[in-house]
Amino acid sequence: MEAPKLVSTLFLTIIIFVSTCPNPFLSAQLCHPKDKNVLLQIKKAFKDPYTYASWDTSSDCCDWYGVECHEKTHQVISLSANNGDLSGPIPPQVAELPYLQYLDFHKQPNITGPIPTAIAKLKNLKSLSITWTKITGPIPDFLGQLKNLDFIALSYNSLTGPIPSSIGLLPKLTGLRLDRNKLTGPIPDTFGQFKGNDFYLYLSHNQLSGKIPVSLGNKEFTYVDLSRNKLEGDASFLFGSGKTTVQHVDLSRNLLEFDLSKVEFPKSLIFLDLNHNKISGTIPAGLTVPEFQQFNVSYNRLCGKIPVGGSLQKFDYSAYFHNLCLCGAPLDQKCK
């Protein structure tokens, strides 16, 4: 065959092959059309932010920023946006992603309004995180209906009102962050019924009042931060030598009153802050934990000698000052 005819035949063969084979770019569109349409509605409701600039009709939504799809069903299971420019209320359209498991908006200072009631439809939701925004209103009671939730973070917002007791009945919850809001009222008694082990509980920097529920003493926590509230009464039941997972306890800047000398502390404890309360008694010898990373009992009503040993002397005087009659190193006050 002559060379020009050979080239012509090969070119024609390539044209036929390309025209009959499926377009690899079109075949890569795995995202469900309904999910894609919902996401585009969410983008529009947030006023077409630059954060979601990759959300283009011609591309696969499973490849968009802040979107994750299930590897087999290709349904959207995660929606997030961190450090961005989303603006306005959280669109109710998020509830039209029925397989959503993770919803995360972080450091979005222009997100406003309440938590939409439509979120109650997300029965597959495992993690709800809306932090460092300007959302307002109460923590909705319907969160207690989302039985698959294992983590809730609503910290650094402007939420008000009481904490719904229904949250304490969530069967899979292992972490709760409601710190740095404007929440009022007591800590729900149901919080002692959390099922998960190694629980994380952050309620600090609010206006919570009343007594800490005794039921919390039945729970194994890893991190507990109830600081900077108006809590009063006894808190000694949060401790106990039989507990094995307690590492971090911050009860500072409340109105708590109990005898510290009668408290047995778990050996796992490495962080204890009790400053600015009305705690009396002496510092028990059992607190000479070698691995203490933070320790502060200042601004209380403690007396007696600071126990020697462990790591108590590695903290300076500010961890002990402004008590009734504490003495011994690191304080300058000598014991008689």
Side-chain angles (χ1 to χ4, degrees):
M1 185 181 292
E2 297 179 3
K5 290 184 178 180
L6 177 61
V7 172
S8 177
T9 303
L10 289 173
F11 181 75
L12 181 61
T13 302
I14 293 172
I15 293 296
I16 295 173
F17 175 79
V18 170
S19 63
T20 55
C21 288
N23 190 322
F25 296 100
L26 293 178
S27 62
Q29 293 275 350
L30 300 176
C31 179
H32 279 244
K34 183 179 178 181
D35 284 0
K36 185 173 186 176
N37 182 55
V38 170
L39 290 172
L40 291 172
Q41 292 178 37
I42 292 172
K43 177 183 178 181
K44 183 177 180 180
F46 275 135
K47 303 176 183 178
D48 295 317
Y50 178 77
T51 300
Y52 290 150
S54 65
W55 292 21
D56 183 84
T57 54
S58 62
S59 59
D60 181 16
C61 76
C62 292
D63 296 328
W64 290 352
Y65 168 79
V67 176
E68 182 182 346
C69 296
H70 191 277
E71 61 181 4
K72 293 182 179 180
T73 66
H74 309 297
Q75 296 277 0
V76 173
I77 60 172
S78 178
L79 175 62
S80 63
N82 296 330
N83 303 292
D85 57 344
L86 307 188
S87 181
I90 298 172
Q93 286 92 335
V94 297
E96 302 306 317
L97 299 170
Y99 296 95
L100 199 66
Q101 298 179 25
Y102 306 94
L103 181 61
D104 180 9
F105 296 128
H106 176 63
K107 286 193 175 181
Q108 300 289 344
N110 295 318
I111 287 184
T112 58
I115 299 173
T117 56
I119 288 180
K121 296 168 61 177
L122 297 173
K123 302 301 183 183
N124 291 299
L125 201 63
K126 294 181 179 180
S127 175
L128 174 64
S129 182
I130 306 171
T131 54
W132 296 78
T133 74
K134 290 183 180 176
I135 60 170
T136 55
I139 298 174
D141 187 64
F142 66 69
L143 293 184
Q145 303 172 20
L146 304 178
K147 303 300 183 182
N148 284 308
L149 278 174
D150 59 33
F151 181 71
I152 298 175
L154 300 174
S155 50
Y156 289 87
N157 293 302
S158 296
L159 298 170
T160 56
I163 301 173
S165 60
S166 59
I167 291 179
L169 302 178
L170 289 169
K172 298 180 180 180
L173 200 66
T174 58
L176 178 62
R177 296 204 60 160
L178 304 178
D179 47 304
R180 295 184 184 265
N181 281 286
K182 301 174 183 178
L183 302 175
T184 55
I187 299 173
D189 188 65
T190 55
F191 277 21
Q193 301 182 41
F194 288 127
K195 304 297 183 183
N197 294 321
D198 303 336
F199 203 94
Y200 291 66
L201 180 64
Y202 291 81
L203 303 179
S204 69
H205 294 78
N206 280 290
Q207 300 169 26
L208 300 175
S209 58
K211 295 183 178 182
I212 300 173
V214 177
S215 62
L216 286 183
N218 301 324
K219 182 66 192 166
E220 280 273 7
F221 291 97
T222 301
Y223 289 81
V224 182
D225 189 349
L226 308 180
S227 63
R228 293 179 183 266
N229 281 289
K230 300 176 182 178
L231 301 170
E232 57 188 35
D234 192 5
S236 60
F237 50 81
L238 294 177
F239 307 98
S241 58
K243 295 192 175 183
T244 58
T245 64
V246 179
Q247 297 180 15
H248 178 123
V249 178
D250 190 345
L251 305 176
S252 62
R253 295 182 181 271
N254 279 290
L255 304 170
L256 299 171
E257 298 182 66
F258 58 93
D259 188 342
L260 190 66
S261 58
K262 297 180 180 180
V263 180
E264 294 185 358
F265 290 91
K267 294 180 179 180
S268 56
L269 190 66
I270 58 175
F271 184 111
L272 180 64
D273 196 340
L274 303 174
N275 80 80
H276 285 82
N277 279 287
K278 301 177 181 180
I279 300 169
S280 59
T282 60
I283 300 175
L287 268 176
T288 54
V289 179
E291 295 84 11
F292 257 129
Q293 298 174 2
Q294 171 69 17
F295 183 82
N296 194 330
V297 292
S298 63
Y299 290 90
N300 278 290
R301 299 173 180 178
L302 297 172
C303 277
K305 183 180 180 180
I306 299 171
V308 176
S311 55
L312 291 187
Q313 273 69 44
K314 82 175 184 181
F315 303 102
D316 64 27
Y317 74 98
S318 63
Y320 301 96
F321 69 173
H322 287 279
N323 275 284
L324 281 180
C325 47
L326 276 182
C327 61
L331 293 176
D332 292 333
Q333 181 67 34
K334 296 182 179 180
C335 298
K336 296 180 180 180

